[in-house]
Each structure stands twice: as structure tokens, then as C-alpha cells.
Amino acid sequence: MKSKINRSVLLLLSAVLIMLQGCGVKGGEQSVTKTGFMLDTNIEVTAYGQKDQAEKAVDGVLTRIRDIDNKMSPELPSSSVVKINAAAGKDYVKVDGDTFYVIREGIKYAGLTGGMLDISVGPLVKLWGIGTENAHVPTREEIDKARALIDYKKIDINENNNEVKLSQPDMRMDLGAIAKGYAADCAKQVIIKNGIKSALINLGGNIYAMGSKADGSDWRIGIQDPFNSRGDYVGIVRVKDKSVVTSGNYERFFEENGKRYHHIFDVSTGYPSDNGVVSTTIISDKSIDGDALSTSVFVLGVDKGLKLVESMDGVEAVIITSDKKVYATPGAKSIFQITDKEYTYEDR
């Protein structure tokens, strides 16, 4: 029997990261913070600078993210994604430049991960309904039917005209594993254009720590303890001008017959990933990379996940497993400090 649906992803500062300590502000400068609900999550944007300039930057970010949400929503009838899904197996759909770029990046990461991140995962997401009132465990037959529709190689794109087609009827695109990262990168560009050098962009836990804190020190971001209450953290990562994105099995889940089912799917089985990984954090220059990799590494597991990250420039990873072991790339170890004594670093 279904006992609980967790929508903690919809809570402010929800997904996985807790910003630590205040930010010193220089004389004449102020912090401006605004919030909103977009991309199926609460967001918070803070800019530091002259008040009018910082306010204009934050307002610009909210406008830009709302535009991206309107284009990539899996539900809004006017969105490019909904139009692509409606035309599956029939026609090409001409889409906007933002959506085309994200789809192209999604296909790229599907190839890099052997399909472990697949933006055609929509039939599986819809079937399980995790994060909605319809969450349930499907039958094996239903899962197999949905899996048969998942194949990023059947997404056809026309580079010349920004056209996209799902080649098989009933295929369904879902950009949920990559759109927030792209939105964070776009938000950063809006901040820069408005002359702001210090800002914190939080899209439901997808963090972009822009520049340094206003007093010149590193941003200190706590990584959520997967087994404890929100606000308890495993350790602290210190960054300047970096994206920090975490995926965890505690973000969105439901329980049925005493078993928890989370929202990160292993498309090779059709079930939530079950390889001992409970949290993955990616530190990168671009948030779209962090968003895509945090999900991919979660499903790939410790060995394959770290091997993938280590093959990429400017990307670091921290992986937490169900036995409270922490695995990390060499670069991540230099900026991530474990503060909870229940967790220990482990060599591969």
C-alpha cells in the first residue's frame, strides 16, 4: 500500500545543498534576493552590488528562467517539448534555439554515458509518476513497454533549421535532467551583463556560485546528508565561480509496501537506480554539465562514474554510498571537507 509521497524537491533550497555563512557586503553595496517557482522547483537568486544594479540583474534572471521554463516544460501546451512529444512518429517540429541546444547537449551526454542519461526517458517518468499524486509501482509488462520507447538514437535533429523529431510514435522527451543546469548557465550570463560580479543562483539545489563572496572569500556550500534531516550536511565544498549540482535518492520519492522508490531511473532496468549510490555531486564550470553528470554518475555507479568524470576537463565529483563511504576525484578532495564523522573517504 502506498504510504507517502515526498515532494521535498519543491521546497525552497530543496534539492541537496545548503549555503553556509553570511556574505560580507562592501560599503555602498547591498544584497538583493528574490524567489520564484519555475522549472518545477523553487528558485532563489541573490546578487551583491549597488542596489539598483543588483535588483535589475535578479529581475532579469527570473525573466530569463521563466522563458526557459515556458519553452521546455513537459506540461505547458505551448512549450517546444510538448509540441515535439505530440508529433512523435509523425513530423519534425521547429523549435527555439534554447530548446534545440539543450536537446543537442542531451544527445551528446546520452552518447557519453552509454544511454544512462537519455532525454527520451519520458515514457518511464510518466509511467511511474514519482513526484505526483499518481506515483505507483508499475507492472513488469508496463515497464518493458515504456523501455521499448526509450532510445536517444531515435531523436532526429536538423541542425540547419532547428528541427527535432521523435522517430517512433508514443516516444516522449523529458529535459528534467538537464534543463535546470542550462537555466543556471543562462542566469549567470544575465548577471554578468548587468555588471554584477558576486551572485548565488539556486535552482532547487542546482547551485551556481558566481565569482567569490562579496568579501572576496570562497563560497562554502554544504552537501546534504542523505540519511538525515534537511540542513544536516556531510561536508563542505569551497568554490569560486563554479556550479555545484547534486542528485540524491532522497529528493523525490514515494513508498509502497514499505519500500522506497526514488526518481532517478536506470533505463536499462526501468526501475529506480539501485547500485548503492545515494548521492552524487558534480563541481564544474558549466551547470549544464553538472546537471547531466550528476544524474549519469548516480546511475553509472562509483567506478564507471568516476572514470567518466576523470576523463573530462574542469569537472570534479563526490559520490556517497549507502554504507556512508565517500568517493571523490582527486580535484574534489582538495576542495571538499568531510565534517560528519560517520562518513569517511574510501579509495576505489
Side-chain angles (χ1 to χ4, degrees):
M1 180 154 194
K2 193 181 305 177
S3 61
K4 179 169 66 173
I5 295 176
N6 185 301
R7 291 303 302 272
S8 61
V9 73
L10 302 183
L11 299 177
L12 189 60
L13 303 184
S14 60
V16 288
L17 304 172
I18 312 98
M19 278 62 70
L20 305 174
Q21 295 189 346
C23 180
V25 181
K26 299 176 182 178
E29 295 188 344
Q30 297 183 33
S31 65
V32 175
T33 299
K34 294 191 179 183
T35 63
F37 185 85
M38 288 167 257
L39 297 170
D40 198 30
T41 194
N42 285 286
I43 67 174
E44 182 177 83
V45 182
T46 300
Y48 299 87
Q50 299 298 320
K51 184 178 179 181
D52 291 347
Q53 191 177 26
E55 188 156 5
K56 183 180 178 182
V58 172
D59 286 341
V61 167
L62 296 179
T63 298
R64 182 72 171 105
I65 294 174
R66 188 175 295 109
D67 177 56
I68 291 170
D69 189 20
N70 289 338
K71 293 170 178 175
M72 302 185 200
S73 166
E75 305 296 338
L76 291 176
S78 60
S79 85
S80 293
V81 169
V82 168
K83 292 176 181 178
I84 291 168
N85 291 340
K90 301 173 185 177
D91 303 308
Y92 277 92
V93 175
K94 186 175 180 62
V95 303
D96 59 275
D98 288 323
T99 304
F100 189 82
Y101 175 81
V102 172
I103 290 171
R104 190 174 58 193
E105 288 295 291
I107 293 171
K108 180 187 79 174
Y109 270 103
L112 286 173
T113 63
M116 288 299 100
L117 182 134
D118 194 321
I119 58 173
S120 66
V121 72
L124 205 56
V125 172
K126 184 178 180 181
L127 176 64
W128 280 82
I130 297 176
T132 75
E133 295 297 325
N134 300 316
H136 71 288
V137 180
T139 66
R140 179 75 257 180
E141 182 180 2
E142 290 174 323
I143 290 171
D144 288 343
K145 184 177 179 180
R147 284 184 59 233
L149 296 170
I150 301 171
D151 187 353
Y152 71 94
K153 295 178 182 177
K154 293 182 180 179
I155 302 173
D156 298 325
I157 62 174
N158 184 331
E159 295 273 359
N160 295 325
N161 298 314
N162 280 15
E163 293 180 330
V164 181
K165 178 183 178 182
L166 301 176
S167 64
Q168 186 175 340
D170 298 322
M171 287 182 71
R172 184 180 175 90
M173 184 177 292
D174 189 310
L175 300 179
I178 195 168
K180 283 196 296 182
Y182 176 69
D185 291 331
C186 291
K188 174 190 173 183
Q189 294 305 315
V190 172
I191 295 285
I192 291 172
K193 287 179 180 178
N194 281 278
I196 298 296
K197 296 181 179 180
S198 178
L200 199 62
I201 302 159
N202 179 11
L203 308 187
N206 281 44
I207 309 297
Y208 201 99
M210 183 177 161
S212 59
K213 289 165 57 175
D215 61 7
S217 62
D218 291 348
W219 294 101
R220 300 173 69 244
I221 300 175
I223 295 181
Q224 173 69 39
D225 184 339
F227 301 103
N228 285 322
S229 301
R230 190 159 304 281
D232 293 330
Y233 50 91
V234 173
I236 300 166
V237 59
R238 295 175 179 270
V239 293
K240 288 184 179 180
D241 208 26
K242 291 286 184 180
S243 164
V244 183
V245 180
T246 300
S247 291
N249 66 356
Y250 52 86
E251 295 174 28
R252 189 181 301 193
F253 65 86
F254 74 98
E255 293 178 358
E256 188 168 303
N257 296 325
K259 184 173 180 179
R260 177 183 290 195
Y261 297 89
H262 62 82
H263 74 298
I264 304 173
F265 292 105
D266 181 342
V267 295
S268 68
T269 66
Y271 285 86
S273 180
D274 186 17
N275 58 11
V277 173
V278 294
S279 171
T280 57
T281 297
I282 303 295
I283 302 108
S284 58
D285 295 329
K286 294 175 62 179
S287 192
I288 193 170
D289 296 334
D291 207 5
L293 286 169
S294 66
T295 303
S296 306
V297 170
F298 191 104
V299 180
L300 287 169
V302 174
D303 291 334
K304 291 181 179 179
L306 289 180
K307 184 177 180 180
L308 172 62
V309 172
E310 288 168 352
S311 72
M312 307 178 74
D313 293 332
V315 181
E316 306 294 344
V318 176
I319 302 174
I320 301 172
T321 54
S322 57
D323 56 358
K324 296 191 174 182
K325 301 296 184 183
V326 179
Y327 300 82
T329 56
K333 287 184 179 180
S334 68
I335 58 175
F336 176 67
Q337 177 188 5
I338 297 174
T339 56
D340 188 326
K341 294 181 179 179
E342 291 187 11
Y343 291 84
T344 57
Y345 270 123
E346 188 79 6
D347 293 327
R348 309 203 319 266

